[in-house]
Amino acid sequence: MTPSAPLGLLAELTHRCPLACPYCSNPLALVDRNDELDTETWVRVFHEAAEMGVLQVHLSGGEPAARRDLTDLVAAAHDSGLYTNLITSAIGLDPQRLARLKAAGLDHVQLSIQDLDAASADRIAGYRGAHDRKLAFARAVTGLDLAFTLNAVVHRANIARVADFAELALTLGAGRVEIAHTQYYGWALRNRAALMPTRDQVTAAMETVERIRPLYANRLAIDLVTPDYYARRPKACMGGWARRTLNVTPAGRVLPCHAAETIPGLEFWSVRDHALADIWAMSPAFNAFRGTDWMQEPCRSCARRDLDFGGCRCQALAIAGDAAAIDPACELSPHHATLLAYAEQDSTPADFAYFHRGRAAPAPA
Ligand code: SF4
Ligand code: FES
């Protein structure tokens, strides 16, 4: 059976980034600049994506502005008919360059923000001066009348300020704020002991989002990426494996999710060797957990299996040691108690430090 077309393409243009956020979802082994896809190959990928029915491309990284050809890439994606979303830290994008991106067809900007006050935000980002540059960039985005989302990844150091993030988003002119509880893959898993909030903090943050949503109705959409470690049921990670999106890494490997390369034994195909449509339909990694036939019990006979698709394969591997197992975020998992124990252990205040990607030594959190 031919799978239906994906809706979105995450184009990880580069792993280079001036920031070093401790929750970064990039892999611990970053792709070297010399191994990045060239402009021509990305242009082909965007055309192929549009032809197979993809609607949106998310230009991401690392920091996509580290690519000198970013304007050409935006133009190519736009000319292919894709809705173009730039996911950026703002560093490397002055108002003139942003205006050129808009002229090339950029539709939407998603800006990350680390905290409300500059000292804390810069400490989390591992980059002095980042916060003020982000605020200035946000004004340039709205000045150009670009659609704009503010993204705040929340964790122990900033989770108490979810309402303030929403208010900041409104003040900056965003139409949407994404409150994203940290997902523990990549660098976030490495930093889990420095990032994990307590159960009470998570409960309070979730209640706050529900309380303020109606207050911002018609002015600001509030999206929530839910936390896993204190959950009773998992989220449908990626909307289900190989169902809605694909990720192309800076080196051209095509993944069903950003952490899929942590799963040993999966065979990933590259856009250097294959057409994107063939990778989507036929590559071993995409077919490994597509649909429900691969499921073990209790997912196989569970009424929710077509809603959450058994949760997250990468989390199942990280906690249960088996990517085909039920996600430990589900309370029906034999490893659910282990997940909770990790959360409780790692949220206990203690001396901790952030391991910033690309930095030699850990820094105080
Ligand atoms: Fe989802 Fe599997 Fe849990 Fe059912 S048993 S809720 S399908 S993770
Ligand atoms: Fe890989 Fe969830 S991050 S399936």
Side-chain angles (χ1 to χ4, degrees), residues 185 235 237-238 241 256-260 263 311-315:
Y185 320 112
K235 64 183 182 304
C237 194
M238 308 305 291
W241 183 274
C257 71
H258 48 266
I263 300 176
C312 175
R313 299 304 88 228
C314 302
Q315 189 150 266

Side-chain angles (χ1 to χ4, degrees), residues 38-231:
D38 60 15
T39 312
E40 192 182 329
T41 308
W42 276 117
V43 170
R44 172 172 60 79
V45 168
F46 296 150
H47 284 302
E48 289 182 0
E51 269 173 21
M52 64 191 281
V54 170
L55 300 175
Q56 301 187 4
V57 61
H58 306 281
L59 301 166
S60 177
E63 171 49 59
R67 292 276 308 215
R68 294 219 180 111
D69 57 356
L70 183 60
T71 307
D72 294 336
L73 296 177
V74 167
H78 174 76
D79 293 346
S80 301
L82 297 169
Y83 184 88
T84 55
N85 174 29
L86 180 69
I87 300 175
T88 181
S89 68
I91 310 302
L93 283 174
D94 59 25
Q96 293 75 25
R97 194 172 183 205
L98 184 63
R100 289 197 293 277
L101 293 177
K102 184 181 179 191
L106 184 65
D107 295 297
H108 183 276
V109 173
Q110 179 176 317
L111 171 67
S112 63
I113 197 112
Q114 277 68 33
D115 208 338
L116 272 295
D117 77 272
S120 174
D122 291 353
R123 187 163 56 247
I124 293 167
Y127 189 98
R128 191 171 299 161
H131 186 72
D132 288 344
R133 289 169 71 171
K134 285 165 183 273
L135 298 184
F137 175 78
R139 290 183 204 104
V141 172
T142 49
L144 287 169
D145 211 19
L146 280 159
F148 176 31
T149 295
L150 194 70
N151 165 268
V153 175
V154 295
H155 45 87
R156 185 148 92 236
N158 64 8
I159 193 170
R161 291 181 280 286
V162 291
D164 301 311
F165 280 123
E167 190 58 27
L168 176 65
L170 190 70
T171 306
L172 292 175
R176 182 175 296 273
V177 65
E178 183 179 78
I179 305 292
H181 286 265
T182 300
Q183 308 291 301
Y184 292 96
Y185 320 112
W187 289 91
L189 188 58
R190 178 88 169 83
N191 278 301
R192 192 176 61 189
L195 296 170
M196 183 65 67
T198 64
R199 181 190 288 274
D200 286 349
Q201 285 178 311
V202 168
T203 302
M206 300 284 276
E207 288 173 355
T208 299
V209 168
E210 292 314 312
R211 177 174 57 78
I212 66 174
R213 257 204 188 113
L215 305 178
Y216 287 94
N218 303 322
R219 296 187 295 157
L220 179 75
I222 303 178
D223 288 346
L224 183 68
V225 177
T226 55
D228 284 329
Y229 275 55
Y230 298 108

